[in-house]
Amino acid sequence: MFSLAALSLLTIAGCGSSKITLEDLEAAVAKLPQDNTPVFVADNENDAVTDMLDIEKPSLKFGFIKLTDCAPLVIAKEKGFFQDEGLNVEIEAQSNWKVLLDRVIDGQLDGAHMLAGQPIGATIGFGTKAHIITAYSLDYNGNGITVSNDIWTQMQENDESLKSPTPPHPISAKSLKPIVDSYKQEGKDFNMGMVFPVSTHNYEIRYWLAAAGIHPGFYNKDNITGMVDADVLLSVTPPPQMPSTLEAGTILGYCVGEPWNQQAVAKGIGVPVTTNYDIWKNNPEKVFGVSAEWNEKYPNTHVAVVKALIRAGKWLDETDADGKLTHREEAAKILSGKDYVGADEDLIKQSMTGTFVFQKTDVRPLPDFNVFFKHYASYPHYSDCIWFLTQMRRWGQITESKPAEWYEETAKEVYKPGIYRKAAAMLVAEGKVTTAEIPEGEYDGYRPATNEFIDGNTYDARDPIGYINSFVIGNKDSDEIR
Amino acid sequence: MNWRGTALRLCNVAGMPIFEPFVRLAAGEDPKEQFKGIAKFVLLPIVAIALFVGAWSLAAKTVVTESMQLPSPSATWQAGADLFAMHFAQRAEDRVKKDEMLSEAIVFMVQAKSLENQAIAASSSDKETLLANALIYKKKAVQAANYVPSSAPTFIDQIFTSLKTVFFGFAIATLIAVPLGVLCGMSPWFNAALTPAIQMFKPVSPLAWLPLASLVIIWAYSNSQPGETFFEKAFLISAVTVSLCSLWPTLVNTTLGVASVDKDYLNVARVLKLTWSQKLFKIILPASLPLMFAGLRISLGVGWMVLIAADMLAQNPGLGKFVWDEFQNGSSTTYARIAFSVLIIGLIGLVLDRIMICLRNMVSFGNPVAG
């Protein structure tokens, strides 16, 4: 209907990068034939129209790693949620977590899909030092631990109950211990892969191994490989390379996000033994990280981005009356695009639609394998940040004893629920989110203490020191790490 | 006009001996001799390529691991066709979206106008709200009108990015290497001073230069905002890495070319009492051009090879990143797309080499070197 005016604008837009101004638009509208101009008489003409944020930087580039938990970013783009906020977002795959973090720090990326440990590690100065913050948690759960076929057969020999086509879960690392011991006896290295020194995966596989009495090795001031006193040598492998590294025999098992565990089953090269849902129910996983400097420069843009992400998370977790996830098949299809995760759609669908294939004979429903929004999963809880700090201390990445207040202060430096709240409040005003979907106003950011861990240990974020001291394997808080 | 002679020289200068027999045939030369030429330059390569494709098909059936399979020639061809189709589909989609957003902008403007018109008649309190709302619609309109499609670069976009990067890097390398090479060639002292450094840096791999190149570029850009700078950081990092690796052949060959200018020429220059710059531009440079271009040809080849590696490592946009992303995808079409990219990379390398041969032949004063 407005093609005439749009066409004249297109010619303006066509000539180079010159921006279309209000005057151009007014000129274009003036060209419209009068009788064709519709008159808008809305009954709510006196109500305030929802205002828009003054976006400081409309064109943004975000980085991600090829994993299904980048979904909120991809969905916010593909379903037009970013566009609704006036943002043109490009999403670019990065080759590994280190490159991704470096590019956020030096400004080549405006923000990125990050391991929750990355903003924390960067801010406290483990690895590259830079003040990175997060105002949006991308998801809960979503990882698995896979071992090679050969190791699985040996685990079955050590534990008869694993020989069933549907062995009882959760599978602990107890049946793995004799294998690790015999490798040690013969002087052979037992190598396993994780994705980054401060990744959830690193802490999860350590948690799983240590719960069964296998020592995953310490970090200290001089040795940042994390292999001091190790029974199992954990080394960094980028997620998409996990299956091929396992197939090549360089590692005997790994902890990684999806679809790289399901890939191992589909290709018949390994067996996922457990998911992180069994290691810790509803554990924090990825976050959306930006540099603190970026946030200061573009505060409104940040809020707009978080608004779009909240809508994307909500869209991903929408269920019908029977509790079935309604949008996940579409999400899997979008994610399988070659510029996103790029793996085959069927593979991505396996874990995204609420099931998990442990073996071809063992397909289990796991509706909470990927949680993006429910249980307030997208809110940046301080207690989640503190858990990562306790694990960094436990394994020696934090080398000196810190008081409990330090844990709280650090969490407040990295996690920024204020931005989340601002974005959520605007969405509530626009009617896109209900107040019940956001933690209530007086919520202090501490999830209740829980013992839903594979070792039954209790985590209370208000007592980080007590938690660190409660582990059999790992540094105690008073230990000085050289 | 002697079209035959011109055409033959063209074949020669362009480095395309493949067309020579056809030209001679058209000129009515001995057909038997020319068919021999056609057999050698056309039929034989076709047979060789056919054999290669056959061996490839066979290998595709054999090289199968549990998780991977070597793509067959037909699968590779299909993947390539898909990549091109995807590019055009993406472009069409972006255009449609842009049009939609422009129409939307017009709608917002019309809405704003109608609110303003209503405000004229409204009471003072309503007027304020109406005008405020009109302003919001105008803001929305401007934003919609300035919509920029932000789809990921397609395979064809990546080809152009790579070409741009390699030429930029190659240009920097040439600007450094040629003057240095001329100085080295003219002054044995200068040459002696630089030789150790040249010998040491010449064999360094791009993978080693890359982190240092990125460090320098990021440092140089540390005070500027993204978008305000003329080049993207990633682009410069790739280009500088290409330069660092590709300047050596040009440098060494230019030195050699300048140093081995015929002594007679230099004597003539002395007799004619030419000034230094006259000697340089009238004698030394023209005489050393063929060798210099031989160096440039190797440099461009090295640069193209290095660029793909640099893209892969540093995530800089380009064909290398495309291949790496596909490798990480691990979908059922991954390897076919990679195989297609390899063919395209090879083909572009071939064309670049041909261009340089042609340039070299043009400056070789009628006695082009074979190859």
Side-chain angles (χ1 to χ4, degrees), chain A residues 214-336:
Chain A
I214 303 171
H215 203 302
F218 283 130
Y219 291 81
N220 65 28
K221 277 202 175 94
D222 305 318
N223 187 330
I224 51 159
T225 61
M227 296 182 187
V228 177
D229 299 334
D231 296 336
V232 167
L233 303 183
L234 295 171
S235 57
V236 171
T237 307
Q241 260 95 65
M242 287 289 186
S244 50
T245 315
L246 183 78
E247 197 177 7
T250 317
I251 50 176
L252 301 167
Y254 57 73
C255 179
V256 77
E258 278 315 306
W260 310 116
N261 294 292
Q262 296 295 283
Q263 177 91 313
V265 191
K267 310 268 186 194
I269 55 175
V271 178
V273 284
T274 185
T275 68
N276 58 346
Y277 187 72
D278 275 336
I279 297 172
W280 175 15
K281 296 213 172 5
N282 293 328
N283 66 91
E285 177 51 37
K286 301 289 186 329
V287 296
F288 175 73
V290 302
S291 76
E293 201 189 335
W294 187 89
N295 173 58
E296 264 163 46
K297 234 183 283 172
Y298 312 113
N300 288 341
T301 312
H302 196 181
V303 172
V305 170
V306 173
K307 275 176 78 181
L309 288 176
I310 291 175
R311 286 179 68 194
K314 182 178 165 164
W315 183 89
L316 277 161
D317 271 9
E318 226 142 78
T319 50
D320 59 16
D322 307 329
K324 192 179 164 290
L325 293 157
T326 43
H327 290 145
R328 292 297 181 87
E329 292 203 3
E330 187 184 345
K333 189 177 173 58
I334 293 172
L335 285 170
S336 70

Side-chain angles (χ1 to χ4, degrees), chain B residues 264-283:
Chain B
D264 291 345
Y265 296 171
L266 295 176
N267 288 335
V268 169
R270 202 165 298 138
V271 169
L272 293 176
K273 298 214 165 85
L274 295 184
T275 62
W276 186 84
S277 69
Q278 277 174 322
K279 193 173 93 178
L280 179 66
F281 288 105
K282 303 264 178 209
I283 311 252

Side-chain angles (χ1 to χ4, degrees), chain B residues 351-366:
Chain B
V351 171
L352 292 182
D353 197 46
R354 288 284 122 178
I355 293 173
M356 291 311 289
I357 289 179
C358 181
L359 284 177
R360 188 200 55 189
N361 288 350
M362 278 179 355
V363 299
S364 293
F365 309 113

Side-chain angles (χ1 to χ4, degrees), chain B residues 151-219:
Chain B
S151 47
T154 64
F155 183 65
I156 294 176
D157 295 337
Q158 301 286 36
I159 291 180
F160 283 108
T161 313
S162 280
L163 283 175
K164 226 165 48 193
T165 320
V166 81
F167 279 118
F168 189 75
F170 176 66
I172 301 177
T174 306
L175 286 179
I176 298 171
V178 169
L180 269 186
V182 170
L183 286 176
C184 284
M186 287 172 78
S187 154
W189 287 88
F190 197 81
N191 193 18
L194 282 196
T195 300
I198 295 173
Q199 297 299 338
M200 193 172 88
F201 290 128
K202 202 168 67 167
V204 175
S205 143
L207 316 191
W209 280 123
L210 187 88
L212 296 175
S214 29
L215 175 75
V216 172
I217 298 293
I218 289 168
W219 164 79

